[in-house]
Every structure is written in C-alpha cells, then in structure tokens.
Amino acid sequence: MSMEKNDVEQLFATSSSLSLTERDRHATIHNIPPFLGTNISSSELIMKLTGDVVVAFGVTLGIAPFMSVIDKSIVQRAAGTHTIVESACSSVTSMLQNPKTFVKSPAFLMMWGVYAATYTTANCLKTILEHQENNVRNEKNQPSHAGVNKFGIFAFTTAVNSATTMMKDQFYAKHFGSKTSSSKVPFISFALWGLRDCLVIGSAFILPEYVCQILKQRTDLEHVTALQISQLTCPVATQVIAGPIQLLGLDFYNRPLADLSYKAATIERIKFQCANFGSIVGARIARIAPAYGIGGVGNTYFREKW
C-alpha cells in the first residue's frame, strides 16, 4: 500500500498531541502502517521494551566470548597465519589466563556490541509490532500491514547488524589479518560482508517463522518445538553460503591480486575457496549455532518469561 511523504510528516508532526486512539485512527486514515503510528508511552510497553534490552544484552553476553574466539580464528585462517584449531586454542588459553583483560579487550566488546545491538533491535521492533496489533485487533476496517511490518523488522535489524558488523570486521581484519595487507579495507569486502549479514539475519529472525509453519503442517510437532528446531537449523544451514562469502571478502582484503589478470585472479580465488571451504564453513557453523541458534532460543524463552 503506497504511503505519501507528506502523510508521514503530518503524522509525526501531530503525534505528540494525540491520544492512543487518535494516533491509531490518524495512522489508519492516512494509510500509514501501524508500525509507524505506535504509541510507546504506555507503562506496559515500556516494561516490555526494557525487558527486550535486558534479555538481549544478557543472552549475548553469554555467547560473545565464543563468537569472538571463532571470528578471530576465521580471520587468521584466511590470512594463513594460523589454523582454526591453533588460533582457537591460543585465544581460549589467553582468555582463561587473563579473563579481565579479555573482557576489556576491543575484540570482545565489539563482538558483544554487535549482537547486543542486533537482538535489541529485533526484540524491540517485534514488541512494538505486537503491542500495536493488540491495540487494533478489535477495530473494524483496520488495514493489514503484516507484510510491511515484517519487512520493516528485517530491514532495520539488518541495517543495525550490518553497520556494527562492518566496524567489527574491519577491526578484526586489520588486527588479526595479514600484516602485509593494506590498511584500507576494499569496498568489495564490505559489500560481500553486507550480503552475508542479510543472509544471516534473514535466516535467524525471519526464515524460522516460515519453516516453523511448514513443520507444523507436515508433522505433529507443537508450535514451540517446531519453532525451536527452526531457530536452530535455519542459521546453521545458511552458513554453507554465508561462510564462503565471508571468506571471499577476507581474501580480497588479504590478497588484492592486482598484478594478475581478471581470469587468473578469479581462478586463484576459487582455488583458495576450495582449499578452505571445509574449515571456514565448519567454524562458521560452530560460531552461528550459539550466536543465533542457541542464542535465538534463549532470547525467545526469556522474552516470553519477562
């Protein structure tokens, strides 16, 4: 459904003086999705949003150390300085010997920040959508914007995740990558990492709901069980594609191959992908399982308990 720019501006200009009912009616008249017309002043909604933030930071605090270790090992494997196992063992040993230093390190804090921000965004947007749907459920002639709202959650969550992940990836590439690499990360690396993020976010926050419905239709699984299976399997399966994409982005940073022809450089990068496919995808699966699989299940559980 189309939405005129002046309608949006008029809604936000007058929203501060409108009550909950008036805001919903105003949004409906101008065909503005309920997502944009939400009143977030109610104490119940504020409590839920507070819970969303607390749960997001708490869940990701528990999984960030493991993801930091895996990400570092992937970068060092792509640079050829360590194997996955060597890098992981070194990082775990250092973390156990100096836990305070590890917790204060930029590598850990940036990793925690990426996923805390991602989960916070997804949680809060879902809560606002659920709150608005409850408000308008019994109203007649209320237009449906479910598709728009789901796309909005995906778009905003992906934007937050991509922006924070880009900063984290740049830091990891410069500090743990090849020492002979350029200090400037090429645009194509950022583009590939952005594509990877879209795949990961979609498989973690959007795809499980659809897979859950399919499992319920074709099996006797209950909704909770089907959703948990979907949340665990979708992000993991996506790594078969996302892993090579991340590796290719790192390869462009570590090895510009500017002295080779386009054909020769392409062949060289394909060989590099084949040589490292198994280890990188395995590491990505080991990383994504807690990041969005276990983390997603825990996030859903504690949100419902809040």
Side-chain angles (χ1 to χ4, degrees):
M1 187 173 293
S2 62
M3 177 172 58
E4 296 296 330
K5 181 179 179 182
N6 60 346
D7 288 338
V8 179
E9 292 174 348
Q10 183 179 359
L11 172 63
F12 283 100
T14 59
S15 62
S16 60
S17 62
L18 296 175
S19 65
L20 174 61
T21 304
E22 289 171 332
R23 288 185 185 182
D24 291 343
R25 186 181 300 113
H26 189 70
T28 302
I29 292 173
H30 291 281
N31 292 327
I32 296 174
F35 186 84
L36 297 177
T38 299
N39 178 7
I40 60 173
S41 63
S42 72
S43 58
E44 180 184 0
L45 178 57
I46 292 176
M47 282 298 297
K48 289 182 178 179
L49 292 174
T50 301
D52 287 336
V53 176
V54 172
V55 169
F57 274 80
V59 169
T60 54
L61 175 62
I63 60 179
F66 184 77
M67 293 187 294
S68 178
V69 170
I70 295 298
D71 256 30
K72 179 181 177 181
S73 67
I74 291 175
V75 173
Q76 291 185 325
R77 179 67 183 90
T81 58
H82 297 72
T83 64
I84 295 290
V85 175
E86 288 173 347
S87 176
C89 289
S90 175
S91 297
V92 171
T93 300
S94 177
M95 179 175 59
L96 294 176
Q97 290 177 343
N98 301 286
K100 290 185 178 180
T101 301
F102 175 80
V103 172
K104 295 179 181 179
S105 67
F108 167 75
L109 293 175
M110 293 184 75
M111 182 65 70
W112 185 24
V114 167
Y115 288 94
T118 301
Y119 272 94
T120 296
T121 302
N123 286 351
C124 290
L125 293 180
K126 285 184 178 180
T127 294
I128 292 173
L129 174 58
E130 291 165 359
H131 181 79
Q132 184 63 33
E133 287 178 345
N134 288 335
N135 288 339
V136 302
R137 184 171 297 166
N138 297 324
E139 292 189 15
K140 298 180 179 180
N141 300 322
Q142 180 68 30
S144 174
H145 300 283
V148 175
N149 288 327
K150 284 186 177 181
F151 176 77
I153 292 174
F154 170 74
F156 277 106
T157 304
T158 301
V160 170
N161 178 264
S162 293
T164 53
T165 299
M166 294 297 179
M167 293 186 287
K168 183 266 298 178
D169 284 342
Q170 186 175 23
F171 175 86
Y172 273 63
K174 289 182 177 180
H175 286 77
F176 306 128
S178 175
K179 299 301 181 182
T180 60
S181 301
S182 170
S183 59
K184 184 178 180 180
V185 179
F187 173 78
I188 190 170
S189 292
F190 284 122
L192 288 167
W193 293 339
L195 175 60
R196 171 208 61 194
D197 294 338
C198 289
L199 292 172
V200 171
I201 294 300
S203 69
F205 294 101
I206 304 299
L207 187 59
E209 295 183 10
Y210 294 99
V211 175
C212 175
Q213 295 300 322
I214 295 175
L215 288 176
K216 288 170 59 180
Q217 293 174 0
R218 299 186 179 183
T219 67
D220 295 328
L221 293 175
E222 296 182 354
H223 176 78
V224 174
T225 303
L227 181 60
Q228 289 177 345
I229 292 175
S230 301
Q231 288 177 318
L232 288 170
T233 56
C234 289
V236 170
T238 306
Q239 299 317 302
V240 177
I241 301 175
I245 291 175
Q246 180 183 11
L247 180 61
L248 185 59
L250 288 169
D251 193 30
F252 271 105
Y253 171 72
N254 291 322
R255 304 188 306 161
L257 301 181
D259 56 331
L260 299 181
S261 65
Y262 178 81
K263 181 179 179 180
T266 300
I267 294 174
E268 181 62 27
R269 296 199 189 282
I270 292 175
K271 290 180 179 179
F272 183 76
Q273 286 280 337
C274 293
N276 294 278
F277 178 84
S279 60
I280 294 299
V281 171
R284 286 284 305 182
I285 290 175
R287 174 190 185 280
I288 213 68
Y292 288 114
I294 298 173
V297 172
N299 179 68
T300 300
Y301 175 82
F302 287 112
R303 278 189 74 226
E304 293 177 350
K305 292 295 182 181
W306 186 270

